[in-house]
Amino acid sequence: MDILISNQSNQPIYEQIYHQIQRQILEGSLSAGTEMPSIRALAKDLQVSVITTKKAYELLTSEGYIETVKAKGSYVAQIDREFIKDKGLTEIKKKIKELVLEAKRYDIQPSEFLELVKKEVEE
Amino acid sequence: MDILISNQSNQPIYEQIYHQIQRQILEGSLSAGTEMPSIRALAKDLQVSVITTKKAYELLTSEGYIETVKAKGSYVAQIDREFIKDKGLTEIKKKIKELVLEAKRYDIQPSEFLELVKKEVEE
Amino acid sequence: MDILISNQSNQPIYEQIYHQIQRQILEGSLSAGTEMPSIRALAKDLQVSVITTKKAYELLTSEGYIETVKAKGSYVAQIDREFIKDKGLTEIKKKIKELVLEAKRYDIQPSEFLELVKKEVEE
Amino acid sequence: MDILISNQSNQPIYEQIYHQIQRQILEGSLSAGTEMPSIRALAKDLQVSVITTKKAYELLTSEGYIETVKAKGSYVAQIDREFIKDKGLTEIKKKIKELVLEAKRYDIQPSEFLELVKKEVEE
DNA sequence: GTGGTCTAGACCACC
DNA sequence: GTGGTCTAGACCACG
């Protein structure tokens, strides 16, 4: 597994694992049906507690990214891209709204905010 | 004080207080020199512990939004808008970066992200 | 009385009053026998509480700078300059010692410290 | 941990803890990466409240001397000696200024003050 | 009355 | 186990 963990980050380790696996599934580098490493193997690999990888897998399962077959293992699920993207759009739109508001409080006007985003995106 | 507390929120109460007061100062509805309610009075008003309001005031003090005089009270400080905006820019840029990354995870490409922001800003 | 009070200072107001009167007595601008303003008059003048000026006068009395005659008023005392200076020397030497130690912790060597003092003194 | 607490001192306990740990880090007896005792363990060791050690650690964190990882512990940070010295210089200069003023109050003139410092430094 | 400091508990998320 | 947050008390110096 291609996963990097940062102990300094404020982000919980299980979320870091979740996000990086989610990313690989969405990008297609992990395709449907692929067998995932076992919770224990991954924990050993990443030098984290089994509890932590278990939590990450539970999150991935509940969000529909992987499927777990008892006593066999976990497999990448067939994901519904439309559904995922829809959920993502709603989420991202909400966050953009919030960020625009926060920027205003710092006297950063929407037009200025848009410029910042353009700069970031063009890089 | 015009402050609303949510016990349900993941955000610590002292941060909620901090942000709402900060917003009122930045918006100008609390102007420099205005006397703030005492930490005890505010605690009673908001039905939270004195320590919680104290923490919020400490944050506001360390960020330069208010000034505290022992045995006297706290007062809205003369804020340096230039400085605040600079700090805000750094903060907002960081958050934009993070949001662009999050969007990518949902298969929302930067160009598409930019469109979402444009739509939001033009409203 | 020529006294300036700062509400923002961390120094208690009664100490500010004490130091400024002590200074004037040591400098000679207030000479022995001079009648001091009453506690109440001074409080009114400086816009502080009577308790505060009372505390300052008590300090000045206990340190021998003024003498209070019941129902008459307070008068600048005949000060023993030798004694005062001796006490001061002990105090200042102790503080220099501490400051040299603190400087060392910041990697500021004694020779460097001496230079800083020279610069300050020459101004 | 090599820390001595005085309940008699005017200095708050959390500052005493802060200063002693800061000193050990600056002196190098605590080197970067070293794990600090947990706030609870230290509190028990020093017989003070957890909140007191927490406050000391918060101060150390905000000043960049240690780094704290939630649910992991605190570690001595890689300190920037240049930065520390700069901050120290500002601090020491300020204190020299104050001390020169205090000396004047005791009729110790700047030139005499300089002599005292010389004597102290040459020892 | 004010803020500053401290105490002895408690629950939470995370590991 | 860890640190983060919160509570309900307390005493102090200052005004």
Side-chain angles (χ1 to χ4, degrees), chain B residues 37-68:
Chain B
S38 81
I39 51 173
R40 279 176 178 78
L42 185 59
K44 210 172 174 186
D45 185 14
L46 301 179
Q47 310 244 49
V48 300
S49 159
V50 173
I51 292 190
T52 307
T53 50
K54 189 172 186 300
K55 210 162 180 180
Y57 274 32
E58 272 171 8
L59 246 183
L60 287 163
T61 304
S62 73
E63 299 289 327
Y65 291 108
I66 66 175
E67 276 163 6
T68 291

Side-chain angles (χ1 to χ4, degrees), chain D residues 7-71:
Chain D
N7 282 314
Q8 273 44 272
S9 167
N10 293 319
Q11 208 178 20
I13 297 179
Y14 75 91
E15 279 191 9
Q16 296 183 37
I17 299 174
Y18 167 77
H19 276 120
Q20 295 188 46
I21 294 180
Q22 179 211 35
R23 204 190 59 226
Q24 293 180 40
I25 293 176
L26 287 176
E27 282 173 350
S29 52
L30 281 176
S31 53
T34 307
E35 182 165 4
M36 301 289 295
S38 81
I39 52 172
R40 280 175 178 77
L42 185 59
K44 210 173 175 184
D45 185 15
L46 301 180
Q47 311 244 50
V48 300
S49 157
V50 173
I51 292 190
T52 308
T53 50
K54 190 172 185 302
K55 209 161 178 180
Y57 274 32
E58 271 171 8
L59 245 183
L60 287 163
T61 304
S62 73
E63 298 290 326
Y65 291 107
I66 67 176
E67 275 163 8
T68 290
V69 185
K70 221 168 155 175

